[in-house]
């Protein structure tokens, strides 16, 4: 700023010197006339200079006014959303999803619900749309289908037989790396169905994995971990944040901050019960938070997997 001011003064000074030099170099009349003319000219020049300075000053003031919103950091900067604004945005997103879904329902009245879908060499099982969380980054918030799979269940949650009927359409299951319980909801709401299906898939020679928010014990109001042993070959628990205070604003567990504590404990207990289990986080949470999650995972002796945020379908 100071540097610009100095440049401006130098430019003005330059203009003043030029004008004086130009006007002082008039014709060859009598000395008095010449002096009078010179005096008049000087007066005019001074008036012009004063006028020019006034105009310049008022232009600068005008520019300051115009630029105010850009110069004012707070005006240009987005204020951090309050929790209530975030909740309102989240509700608006959910409403938007619901509206999109209704519009899609109208377009495709006869579309069957998807309980089973294929992705990246795995077979995925979509048992429910219930979830105890309402995560900001959930793919459910952004789209009504996931990689072309319509995972919103319009005709209710499937029975084990209905799932198996769809699984049969995929032929030999041994070509899949794993069968993963993961859809547009938290699979532990359907723990009984999931465990029966685990038996079915093991009989077919396929490994099973659960992707969970880790709140299954709170959801079922009992310790479900002993039931999972021998049924699930792998459990992936979404950690998402390094502490309850950071988890709750982005994941909105219906159990409040207990959701986070129960989730960490769930992963710990899975490992203590001999179930192969890890935490996962998405890389969009920021480097510092990723590091804090690593420290937490280490402290409870649960491995951590950092995965890329899914941005496109
Ligand atoms: S826990 Fe999973 S399914 Fe539930 S809202 Fe979060 S990302 Fe979506």
């Amino acid at each position: 700023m100071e540097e610009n001011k100095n440049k401006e003064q130098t430019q003005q000074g330059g203009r003043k010197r030029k004008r004086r030099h130009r006007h002082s170099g008039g014709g060859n009349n009598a000395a008095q006339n010449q002096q009078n003319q010179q005096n008049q000219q000087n007066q005019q020049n001074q008036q012009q200079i004063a006028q020019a300075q006034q105009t310049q000053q008022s232009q600068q003031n005008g520019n300051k006014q115009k630029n105010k919103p850009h110069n004012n950091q707070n005006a240009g900067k987005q204020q951090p959303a309050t929790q209530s604004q975030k909740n309102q945005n989240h509700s608006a997103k959910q409403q938007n999803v619901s509206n999109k879904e209704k519009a899609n329902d109208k377009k495709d009245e006869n579309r069957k619900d998807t309980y089973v879908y294929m992705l990246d060499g795995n077979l995925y099982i979509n048992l429910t749309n219930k979830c105890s969380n309402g995560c900001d980054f959930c793919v459910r918030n952004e789209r009504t289908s996931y990689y072309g799979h319509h995972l919103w269940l319009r005709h209710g949650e499937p029975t084990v037989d209905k799932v198996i009927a769809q699984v049969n359409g995929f032929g030999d299951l041994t070509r899949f790396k794993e069968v993963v319980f993961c859809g547009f909801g938290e699979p532990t709401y359907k723990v009984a169905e999931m465990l029966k299906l685990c038996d079915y898939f093991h009989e077919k020679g396929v490994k099973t994995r659960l992707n969970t928010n880790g709140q299954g014990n709170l959801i079922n109001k009992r310790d479900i971990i002993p039931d999972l042993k021998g049924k699930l070959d792998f459990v992936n628990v979404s950690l998402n944040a390094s502490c309850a205070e950071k988890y709750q604003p982005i994941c909105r567990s219906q159990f409040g901050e207990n959701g986070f504590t129960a989730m960490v404990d769930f992963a710990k207990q899975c490992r203590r019960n001999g179930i192969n289990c890890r935490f996962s986080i998405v890389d969009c949470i920021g480097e510092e938070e990723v590091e804090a999650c690593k420290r937490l995972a280490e402290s409870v002796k649960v491995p951590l997997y950092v995965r890329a945020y899914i941005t496109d379908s």
Side-chain angles (χ1 to χ4, degrees):
M1 280 294 282
E2 194 53 37
E3 198 191 340
N4 287 343
K5 209 168 156 188
N6 289 341
K7 268 188 200 162
E8 203 173 83
Q9 281 172 345
T10 311
Q11 280 165 358
Q12 281 175 15
R15 276 199 290 273
K16 279 177 195 171
R17 278 196 297 276
K18 249 183 171 175
R19 279 180 188 141
R20 271 192 215 114
H21 180 76
R22 195 178 60 220
H23 296 291
S24 66
N28 289 324
N29 296 330
Q32 189 57 47
N33 284 344
Q34 201 175 7
Q35 188 59 46
N36 287 344
Q37 277 178 358
Q38 189 61 53
N39 287 345
Q40 277 178 354
Q41 189 62 53
N42 285 347
Q43 270 182 351
Q44 275 178 2
N45 285 347
Q46 276 167 5
Q47 278 170 359
Q48 280 172 0
I49 288 164
Q51 249 181 350
Q53 281 175 337
Q54 262 183 356
T55 309
Q56 198 172 21
Q57 188 60 46
S58 66
Q59 275 173 351
Q60 282 171 358
N61 288 344
N63 286 341
K64 273 185 198 163
Q65 283 302 112
K66 279 184 208 160
N67 287 336
K68 210 169 185 178
H70 305 292
N71 292 337
N72 181 340
Q73 289 192 349
N74 285 336
K77 199 163 110 186
Q78 257 195 342
Q79 297 295 318
T82 63
Q83 193 53 48
S84 109
Q85 282 168 331
K86 278 185 184 174
N87 288 341
Q88 277 175 9
N89 290 345
H90 184 72
S91 307
K93 271 186 198 171
Q94 299 292 30
Q95 185 58 45
N96 196 24
V97 167
S98 156
N99 290 342
K100 275 185 190 171
E101 183 62 12
K102 277 181 199 158
N104 277 355
D105 278 358
K106 277 191 181 166
K107 269 194 256 164
D108 186 9
E109 298 281 348
N110 299 318
R111 177 171 61 73
K112 281 187 183 167
D113 285 344
T114 300
Y115 314 133
V116 184
Y117 61 104
M118 232 175 15
L119 202 63
D120 295 334
N122 289 329
L123 200 64
Y124 283 77
I125 310 295
N126 178 38
L127 292 179
T128 183
N129 288 159
K130 282 187 211 137
C131 189
S132 53
N133 276 0
C135 303
D136 273 348
F137 49 83
C138 183
V139 286
R140 307 193 305 174
N141 300 336
E142 305 302 328
R143 47 180 77 94
T144 55
S145 71
Y146 182 59
Y147 289 89
H149 305 294
H150 297 277
L151 303 181
W152 287 106
L153 301 172
R154 296 179 308 160
H155 307 297
E157 292 169 341
T159 62
V160 169
D161 288 344
K162 280 186 177 178
V163 175
I164 290 175
Q166 282 198 7
V167 167
N168 287 337
F170 287 87
D172 180 11
L173 298 184
T174 56
R175 69 196 167 104
F176 296 110
K177 286 185 283 183
E178 290 173 301
V179 170
V180 187
F181 294 94
C182 176
F184 272 4
E186 167 52 38
T188 55
Y189 273 96
K190 306 296 288 176
V191 70
E193 288 79 357
M194 181 175 71
L195 295 177
K196 283 182 192 163
L197 286 163
C198 283
D199 287 341
Y200 174 82
F201 291 121
H202 280 161
E203 277 169 27
K204 300 283 177 191
V206 202
K207 288 195 184 303
T208 56
R209 170 170 35 125
L210 164 65
N211 282 359
T212 177
N213 65 14
Q215 295 168 24
N217 287 347
L218 293 178
I219 290 166
N220 290 279
K221 300 187 178 76
R222 68 181 182 87
D223 182 6
I224 62 168
I225 295 169
D227 298 353
L228 309 182
K229 199 173 173 181
K231 307 282 182 181
L232 289 160
D233 298 296
F234 197 81
V235 175
N236 186 92
V237 179
S238 300
L239 179 62
N240 297 328
S242 62
C243 61
E245 294 75 24
K246 287 187 176 155
Y247 181 86
Q248 189 55 15
I250 55 169
C251 294
R252 298 185 179 82
S253 169
Q254 69 183 54
F255 303 110
E257 292 189 357
N258 287 342
F260 179 84
T261 317
M263 173 263 293
V264 173
D265 197 50
F266 184 88
K268 247 163 65 176
Q269 294 308 324
C270 277
R271 289 192 73 84
R272 281 196 188 153
N273 279 268
I275 299 168
N276 195 5
C277 173
R278 77 177 177 198
F279 285 132
S280 70
I281 51 173
V282 281
D283 60 3
C284 61
I285 60 175
E287 271 176 43
E288 229 175 82
E289 187 56 354
V290 168
E291 288 308 312
C293 287
K294 283 181 185 170
R295 287 194 294 276
L296 170 72
E298 255 175 48
S299 75
V300 293
K301 297 185 171 51
V302 176
L304 176 70
Y305 172 63
V306 184
R307 72 169 173 84
Y309 175 58
I310 298 163
T311 54
D312 203 4
S313 62

